[in-house]
Amino acid sequence: MSTDSGVLATLRATPTPVRYLLGGVLINQLGAFVQTFILLYLTFRGDALGIAGLSLAAYSVGSIFGTLLGGELTHRFGPRTTITMAMLASAPLVASIPFVATIPVVLFLVVGLAGLVTQTYRPAAAVLLSDLMPEEHQVMAFSMMRIALNTGAAVAPLIAAGLILIDWDLLFYLDGATALLYGLLAYLLLPRVEAPKDDEEKKPAVDARAAYARMAGDRKYLAYLAAVFLGTIAYAQSVTALPLEIVADKYPTSLYSAVLTVSSLVLITCELKITSYIVKIPQHIAVFAGHMVNSLGFVLYALAFQSGTFVILGAVFAVSGLMIAGPTMFAHPAKFPAEYKSRYIGTMQAVIGLASAIGPLFGVFTFNSLGGAFWIVIALVNGVAGLLAVYGVREAQKEPVEAGAA
């Protein structure tokens, strides 16, 4: 049993189309510059901070609706078509940003549409991954997808730093090029039909209203979504409030660079191995343990004023908790029946997008007002997320079938 769930066993069991899918995710993430650099780009050009902020808000709003749209399109047209359409639509939009940057209304529209279509591919990729990977390797497979995303997110700023030295506009040209490349690879290499399911009988189509009504009545899934929302807001403080903490405690900014480096290295190099152990224990225990380890990291941040060592230790615990709970949480919506799966995945990713947009605002506005209690509050919020997650994912493999039969 332990051999079947190991890293090497999972890699051997990974079908070739999944390798193409993960490679495409990595390529696209390597050029994902809009959300990270749009603020810096516009302020560098001399635009007002308000224009830059509204542009980022437009992208964030587009992203939230994009994941919902992606779930619906995947259900109607299939993952391959959705990924191809999303990336081919994203490429010209992001590449045109330098040409419309001087016209605010057009800029907001283009950036918002870029966020919408760019994020549409995510539910499709998750559905295709869950359809193609053997069930016993699903959590490991989603861990591999997370590694592809995180590797791209870690390397992209290094690429951006070199491009900026030449021309800021190159950021968006490369972003468009990687989206175009991913779209073409998806069209040429990904399977045209969903992976067959031997045990699945043909079922009548489920329309969007029925699917979302079912979701709204699923208390376990709503608890899971609440856990995702609170957990994402809590973890967002590692990139929002933690820099404020480092500045307030009069540490050099290089300490935050060290935190980012350590977190990325631990996440990329250790997640797959940790997941190989996590899949051997009940999933509700894994998500609870992960949230508790994560909360311990936030508590260590509260001690940052005493020594910068607590900042590094806090980062290690925070990212370790993410590795313990993350793969199971990320894979959970893919366990639902095929007629609901894409919409459940899309809704989960929309909740992540919403929390990612709210989290930084929450951190900025509450950090100063809460003072030394801030990180304790964040740890408690994350602890509540852990309890909700336990309720939401426990016996998840049985719940969807029972709920669907009811």
Side-chain angles (χ1 to χ4, degrees), residues 321-352:
L322 191 65
M323 289 188 293
I324 295 169
T328 301
M329 292 290 287
F330 202 51
H332 177 63
K335 297 180 183 294
F336 285 82
E339 62 268 28
Y340 299 104
K341 180 163 56 176
S342 65
R343 285 150 176 163
Y344 273 64
I345 290 173
T347 302
M348 178 271 286
Q349 294 182 347
V351 168
I352 291 177

Side-chain angles (χ1 to χ4, degrees), residues 196-210:
K197 296 178 176 63
D198 297 331
D199 60 340
E200 185 177 306
E201 298 177 2
K202 197 139 180 133
K203 297 179 182 178
V206 177
D207 62 25
R209 180 177 297 181

Side-chain angles (χ1 to χ4, degrees), residues 20 82 128 156 197 209 248 304:
Y20 293 146
T82 301
L128 188 60
K197 296 178 176 63
R209 180 177 297 181

Side-chain angles (χ1 to χ4, degrees), residues 122 124 132 185 203 225 228 246 253 259 277 344-345 387 390:
R122 287 189 180 242
L132 295 177
L185 289 174
K203 297 179 182 178
L225 290 178
V228 169
I246 288 172
T253 55
V259 167
Y277 296 115
Y344 273 64
I345 290 173
L387 295 174
V390 168

Side-chain angles (χ1 to χ4, degrees), residues 256-274:
Y256 186 59
S257 298
V259 167
L260 294 177
T261 301
V262 169
S263 298
S264 297
L265 286 175
V266 171
L267 195 62
I268 293 169
T269 58
C270 299
E271 178 165 333
L272 205 58
K273 187 61 179 177
I274 288 177

